[in-house]
Amino acid sequence: MITIKDIAERAGVSYATVSRALNSRADVSPETRNRILELAKELGYQPNAIARSLVKRKSEMVALIVPDVSNPFFSDITMSVNEAAEEAGYTVVVCNTGWDEKKEADKLRIMQEQRVDGIICKPVNELSQERLKEINVPIVLFWHAQPDDISYIEVDHEAGGKLAVRHLIERGYKKIAYLGGKLTSQSNQIRMDAYKRSLIEGGLEVREEWINNGGFSMESGYQRIGSMFRLSDPPDAVFCGNDIIALGVLQYARDHGLNVPRDFGIIGFDDISYASLPQVRLSTISQPRDKLGRQAFEALLTEMDVYPNHAAQKILVEPELVVRGTT
Amino acid sequence: MITIKDIAERAGVSYATVSRALNSRADVSPETRNRILELAKELGYQPNAIARSLVKRKSEMVALIVPDVSNPFFSDITMSVNEAAEEAGYTVVVCNTGWDEKKEADKLRIMQEQRVDGIICKPVNELSQERLKEINVPIVLFWHAQPDDISYIEVDHEAGGKLAVRHLIERGYKKIAYLGGKLTSQSNQIRMDAYKRSLIEGGLEVREEWINNGGFSMESGYQRIGSMFRLSDPPDAVFCGNDIIALGVLQYARDHGLNVPRDFGIIGFDDISYASLPQVRLSTISQPRDKLGRQAFEALLTEMDVYPNHAAQKILVEPELVVRGTT
DNA sequence: CTGAAAGCGCTAACAA
DNA sequence: TTGTTAGCGCTTTCAG
C-alpha cells in the first residue's frame, strides 16, 4: 500500500507538502501541487481514511441502528438515510439488532468504539437513562424520547391512530378491534390509546377482548385474528399496529372465506410497499419514509454541529390516510 | 474521551501494560489486570477502534455494495451477510449504488480508503478489467466473473431459466414470452439464453417480439407487458426476469381483467417475500437468499485468509421451482 | 511556499 | 511480569 511518504520521496518534497497538495490547500505552489497530484494518480495512491480519522478525530461515518433491515419499512428508511448522508459526504454503517436489546447494546457500543460521528437509532424498547448516559456521541432516535436533551423524530402516532379509527367508523364498522405490536413499544401504546379514545369519541365501546398485542409479524397477525374470530362476539373490523400484521390478517380472511371489506374491514399502519400491491390493496396509514430518513439525518447533522451541546429537536411527522381496498 | 494513558496514570503502570490487560493477554499479573479492568469500567473507557485498526492494519469491517437496499432481494441478502459477519466479529458497511456505475466506482473507492478488510459486491454491470485491477482488497462478487482469480457466488441462472420455461410448457402454455431486466445484466442474458434453448427443446418457436428487456421495476413490467398485449399475436404466458417485473405484469393482468393462470401464465424469478403474499401467490424460481449471503461472507473470509493470493471460489447455488397460483 | 516535528490512541517488539 | 520505544499514516502547528 502506497503512502504519502512514498509520494514525497519520489517528488523530492517533505510529506507534509504532499499532504497539503492532496488536500488542495492554498499554500502549495501550483507546480509542486500538480507534480504531486500526477504522481499520486500514477502510483495509484489511496488515502488512508483510518489514519486521517485518527488525527482529525472524525470518521465521516454515521451509524444507523435498526431492528430489522429486511423489514421493508426499515429498508426504506435505510435507503433515505443513505441518500441524505451521501450528499453530505458521510458513509452509513447499517446495523441490525433483530429486536434484541442485548444486541442493540452491543451495536451501540461497537459503533462508538468505531468512533462514528453520529448515530441514528430505532431502539427496540425505550432506552434507559443509564444507557443514554453511556452514549457520548450525537444521536437521533426514532422514538418519543422523554429526556429533554435527546433529539428524536417520529411519525405522529396519535394522529395516525385517530385517522385510522375514524375512517373505520365512517365506513360503518361498529366492532373495531386493535391488533398491536409489542406492548412495550411506546408508539404502539400511543396508537392504542388513540384507538381507545377515538372509539369513545365515536360512541363505540372499548372491549378488552378486542384488543391484543403481540409480535410484529404476519404469522402473529394471522394467529391472533384467528383467536379473535373464535370469540362469541367477534369484531367486524381491525386496526393493525402495522401493515405486516394486517397482511397476516388479510391472509387469514382469505383462507377463511371472509369478504373484505364487506364483512370485515382491515386497516394497517406504515404503508409499506406490499400494501399497494395488486390484490393486496391494503388501506393504511402512511408513514413517509423518505421524509423520515432525510429529516433524521438532517437532525443528526445539526446535532453533530452543536455537540457536545444538544439541539434537542423534537420532530413529529404527519401521517396520512391511504384508502385502498380493505376498508 | 478517556484513553489507555489515562488509565495507566491512575493505575500507576505503563500504558503498554494497560493495553495488555485490556486485550486479556496472558503476561499480566492477575492483580494489576483486575485493577486495570476495574479502573477501565469505572472511567467508562471505550477502546478506540480507529487507532487499533491503524496499527493492526485491519479494520474488522467489510463492505457490502448492492444496487438497491430497499429491494427486498438485496435487503434479505444484507440481512444474511450481516448475520454471518456478526458471528465472525465483523461489522458490515452497507452501500447503495442505485444501479449507477459511477456511484458504484465511488463506493468501491471509498470503502478501500476506509480500509475495509473485504468487499462483497453485486456490480451493476460487469466490472471491467481495469476496475478489477484497481481493487486491492479481498473481494467476492455476486456475478459470473470471468477472471480466474476472482471469487464469485451466484445462483445458477441457467438452471433457473430452464426450470421456469419447462414448467410453463408442462402447464400447456404455447406462446411464452420473456420479460427481462437490463440487457447488460449478465445473469439476465443467461436466463434469456436458457429461455430460448428450453423453448426450442420443447418444440416451441422463439419470437423476437415476445422478448423484451428493460428496467427491473414493477412499472416497467406493467408497461412492457402492455405493449406485448397490443401485438397482433400476443403471448399466453411470460417468464419474468425477476419477481418485481412479474408483480407489474400481475397488476396489469388484474387491471385488464385477465384470468391468471387460466388465460395467462406468469412466473417470476427470485422468490422475494411479496411472492408468497395472500392473493399474490406468484409462481417463481427461488433464490435462497440466506444461503447466498452466508456463503458470500464465508467465501470472503477464506479470500481474506489467503490474500493477496486468491482462493478463486466459483460458487453456484441451485435455485428451486416454487409453484403457486399464477401458473 | 516548504520542512521539521509533534502527535492522534493504540499495538508489539525488545529490554529489563 | 512490566516498561521503553518505535511506529501505523496522516494532519497540523511552528519555524524558516
Side-chain angles (χ1 to χ4, degrees):
Chain A
M1 199 79 273
I2 132 135
T3 74
I4 50 172
K5 288 194 182 179
D6 299 320
I7 300 179
E9 214 168 298
R10 304 234 189 172
V13 295
S14 76
Y15 64 90
T17 302
V18 177
S19 172
R20 288 189 193 103
L22 258 24
N23 291 290
S24 47
R25 293 183 45 159
D27 50 356
V28 194
S29 79
E31 302 88 62
T32 48
R33 216 186 90 91
N34 287 333
R35 191 151 42 95
I36 289 169
L37 255 37
E38 260 174 43
L39 221 40
K41 181 173 284 182
E42 187 188 319
L43 299 176
Y45 170 73
Q46 290 189 314
N48 185 326
I50 300 224
R52 178 184 295 142
S53 296
L54 184 59
V55 38
K56 299 195 85 160
R57 284 119 163 275
K58 295 187 70 209
S59 60
E60 311 282 274
M61 291 224 178
V62 299
L64 174 65
I65 304 179
V66 292
D68 180 5
V69 215
S70 74
N71 175 319
F73 178 72
F74 293 118
S75 68
D76 281 351
I77 294 269
T78 302
M79 190 74 169
S80 58
V81 167
N82 235 323
E83 256 175 40
E86 189 179 328
E87 283 166 23
Y90 283 84
T91 299
V92 181
V93 184
V94 183
C95 299
N96 202 83
T97 64
W99 297 104
D100 177 351
E101 284 196 68
K102 206 170 297 174
K103 248 190 191 170
E104 176 180 278
D106 279 351
K107 298 296 187 182
L108 242 18
R109 181 181 50 74
I110 292 171
M111 287 305 102
Q112 288 184 258
E113 296 189 357
Q114 294 289 353
R115 294 299 188 266
V116 292
D117 295 337
I119 296 177
I120 297 174
C121 176
K122 160 71 193 183
V124 177
N125 293 311
E126 190 178 348
L127 290 176
S128 65
Q129 290 289 341
E130 308 156 49
R131 177 91 70 236
L132 245 23
K133 283 258 148 51
E134 285 166 8
I135 295 171
N136 32 33
V137 114
I139 190 165
V140 170
L141 301 179
F142 287 112
W143 192 271
H144 283 287
Q146 286 88 346
D148 278 350
D149 56 356
I150 204 122
S151 287
Y152 71 73
I153 176 167
E154 200 165 28
V155 154
D156 190 336
H157 292 282
E158 163 97 35
K162 278 186 186 169
L163 232 43
V165 174
R166 283 179 186 169
H167 168 67
L168 251 18
I169 293 175
E170 271 173 27
R171 283 290 204 236
Y173 299 104
K174 302 280 182 215
K175 305 193 281 184
I176 302 170
Y178 180 73
L179 224 51
K182 291 168 64 179
L183 205 48
T184 45
S185 154
Q186 200 187 359
S187 51
N188 184 54
Q189 283 280 2
I190 297 174
R191 285 192 291 249
M192 189 167 61
D193 288 348
Y195 153 84
K196 290 179 183 170
R197 254 198 304 281
S198 305
L199 239 40
I200 294 168
E201 282 173 17
L204 298 179
E205 62 177 329
V206 176
R207 287 227 230 149
E208 281 309 321
E209 70 264 35
W210 289 346
I211 297 178
N212 183 294
N213 289 283
F216 271 130
S217 68
M218 267 185 70
E219 293 70 33
S220 166
Y222 192 99
Q223 301 258 334
R224 293 191 282 138
I225 201 67
S227 323
M228 247 179 228
F229 275 120
R230 269 172 249 119
L231 252 33
S232 57
D233 187 14
D236 65 359
V238 64
F239 168 35
C240 299
N242 74 4
D243 286 351
I244 306 276
I245 295 175
L247 252 23
V249 172
L250 201 58
Q251 175 133 35
Y252 182 92
R254 184 171 187 278
D255 290 355
H256 294 76
L258 270 89
N259 184 322
V260 173
R262 204 195 56 200
D263 302 340
F264 193 69
I266 305 172
I267 188 163
F269 203 104
D270 281 354
D271 195 20
I272 60 178
S273 50
Y274 298 96
S276 62
L277 245 35
Q279 311 196 32
V280 167
R281 313 217 328 111
L282 178 68
S283 294
T284 190
I285 304 299
S286 158
Q287 299 203 43
R289 266 101 56 212
D290 50 341
K291 197 178 280 185
L292 278 170
R294 296 201 80 85
Q295 291 203 18
F297 183 76
E298 269 152 38
L300 183 60
L301 268 187
T302 84
E303 192 70 41
M304 295 192 299
D305 233 41
V306 301
Y307 197 79
N309 297 315
H310 292 284
Q313 300 153 87
K314 314 291 188 183
I315 305 169
L316 233 45
V317 177
E318 278 307 303
E320 209 170 299
L321 174 66
V322 183
V323 180
R324 288 196 268 248
T326 62
T327 55
Chain B
M1 200 78 269
I2 132 135
T3 74
I4 51 172
K5 288 194 181 178
D6 299 319
I7 299 179
E9 214 168 297
R10 304 234 190 174
V13 294
S14 76
Y15 65 91
T17 303
V18 176
S19 173
R20 289 188 194 104
L22 257 23
N23 291 291
S24 46
R25 293 184 43 160
D27 51 357
V28 194
S29 80
E31 303 89 61
T32 49
R33 217 186 91 90
N34 286 333
R35 192 151 42 95
I36 289 169
L37 256 37
E38 260 174 43
L39 221 40
K41 180 172 285 181
E42 188 187 318
L43 298 177
Y45 170 72
Q46 290 189 312
N48 185 326
I50 300 220
R52 179 184 296 140
S53 296
L54 184 58
V55 36
K56 298 196 85 160
R57 286 120 161 275
K58 296 187 70 209
S59 61
E60 311 282 275
M61 291 224 179
V62 300
L64 174 65
I65 303 178
V66 292
D68 179 6
V69 214
S70 74
N71 175 318
F73 178 73
F74 293 119
S75 68
D76 281 351
I77 294 269
T78 302
M79 190 75 170
S80 58
V81 168
N82 235 321
E83 255 175 40
E86 189 178 328
E87 282 165 24
Y90 282 84
T91 299
V92 180
V93 183
V94 182
C95 299
N96 202 84
T97 65
W99 298 104
D100 177 350
E101 284 195 68
K102 205 169 298 172
K103 247 189 191 172
E104 176 181 278
D106 279 351
K107 299 296 188 183
L108 242 19
R109 181 182 50 75
I110 292 172
M111 287 303 102
Q112 286 183 261
E113 296 189 357
Q114 293 290 352
R115 296 298 189 267
V116 293
D117 295 337
I119 296 177
I120 298 174
C121 177
K122 161 70 194 184
V124 176
N125 293 311
E126 191 178 348
L127 291 176
S128 66
Q129 290 289 340
E130 308 156 49
R131 176 92 69 238
L132 245 22
K133 284 257 147 50
E134 285 166 9
I135 295 171
N136 33 32
V137 114
I139 191 166
V140 170
L141 301 179
F142 286 112
W143 192 272
H144 283 287
Q146 285 88 347
D148 278 350
D149 56 356
I150 204 122
S151 287
Y152 71 74
I153 175 166
E154 200 165 29
V155 154
D156 190 336
H157 288 101
E158 164 96 35
K162 278 187 185 165
L163 232 41
V165 175
R166 282 180 186 169
H167 168 67
L168 250 20
I169 294 175
E170 273 174 24
R171 283 292 203 234
Y173 299 104
K174 302 279 182 220
K175 306 193 281 184
I176 301 169
Y178 180 73
L179 223 51
K182 293 170 61 179
L183 205 49
T184 45
S185 154
Q186 199 186 2
S187 51
N188 184 54
Q189 283 280 5
I190 296 175
R191 284 192 291 247
M192 189 167 61
D193 289 348
Y195 154 85
K196 290 180 183 169
R197 253 198 304 280
S198 304
L199 237 42
I200 295 169
E201 282 174 16
L204 297 179
E205 61 177 329
V206 176
R207 288 227 230 148
E208 282 307 321
E209 70 265 34
W210 289 346
I211 297 177
N212 184 293
N213 290 283
F216 271 130
S217 68
M218 267 185 71
E219 292 69 33
S220 168
Y222 192 100
Q223 301 257 335
R224 293 191 280 139
I225 200 69
S227 324
M228 246 177 229
F229 274 121
R230 267 172 251 120
L231 252 35
S232 58
D233 187 13
D236 64 359
V238 64
F239 168 34
C240 299
N242 74 4
D243 286 351
I244 306 276
I245 295 175
L247 251 23
V249 172
L250 201 57
Q251 176 134 36
Y252 183 93
R254 184 172 187 278
D255 289 354
H256 294 76
L258 270 90
N259 184 323
V260 174
R262 205 195 53 200
D263 302 340
F264 192 70
I266 304 172
I267 188 164
F269 203 104
D270 280 354
D271 194 20
I272 60 177
S273 49
Y274 298 96
S276 62
L277 246 33
Q279 312 196 30
V280 168
R281 312 216 332 109
L282 177 69
S283 293
T284 190
I285 304 298
S286 157
Q287 299 203 43
R289 268 102 56 212
D290 51 339
K291 198 180 279 183
L292 278 169
R294 296 201 80 85
Q295 290 202 18
F297 182 77
E298 270 152 37
L300 183 60
L301 268 186
T302 84
E303 192 69 42
M304 296 192 299
D305 232 42
V306 301
Y307 197 78
N309 298 315
H310 290 285
Q313 300 152 86
K314 314 289 188 184
I315 305 169
L316 234 46
V317 177
E318 278 307 305
E320 209 171 298
L321 173 66
V322 183
V323 180
R324 289 196 267 248
T326 61
T327 55

